[in-house]
Amino acid sequence: MAIGSKGLTPADLDAMDNERLAEELSKAKAELFNLRFASATGQLEDHGRMKAVRRDIARIYTIVRERELGIRTAPSTEEEAK
């Protein structure tokens, strides 16, 4: 199984709109900051979590970039209304 957070698989990220992706990205960056801070102070217990959060950030950036290049498309609002 891939390393990362539950609910942030590429299929789940692809179903999110751009605003939700930006929100998830900011949450992941804040979590990574807190993990780095805990690591620097010697309070971090789960070092694997840092790797998972970094990969989540990379996945989000990949989806955003693919949408910019037209490889993927953002979900339409008509589909969400149904």
Side-chain angles (χ1 to χ4, degrees):
M1 179 152 179
I3 295 175
S5 299
K6 200 172 199 177
L8 288 181
T9 62
D12 294 336
L13 292 173
D14 198 29
M16 295 179 186
D17 60 348
N18 292 336
E19 292 82 23
R20 178 82 193 275
L21 279 176
E23 179 182 313
E24 290 293 327
L25 181 62
S26 65
K27 283 197 297 189
K29 283 185 172 185
E31 183 179 1
L32 183 60
F33 174 79
N34 291 332
L35 289 170
R36 284 183 177 155
F37 191 86
S39 178
T41 58
Q43 298 175 351
L44 184 63
E45 295 177 6
D46 185 14
H47 294 282
R49 184 69 187 140
M50 287 181 68
K51 183 176 184 179
V53 173
R54 280 197 313 264
R55 287 190 180 195
D56 290 340
I57 291 171
R59 268 190 208 102
I60 293 170
Y61 275 134
T62 300
I63 297 292
V64 169
R65 182 65 180 153
E66 286 177 349
R67 286 183 182 175
E68 287 175 0
L69 296 174
I71 297 170
R72 291 183 192 250
T73 58
S76 65
T77 56
E78 295 174 6
E79 293 175 356
E80 292 175 2
K82 291 183 181 178

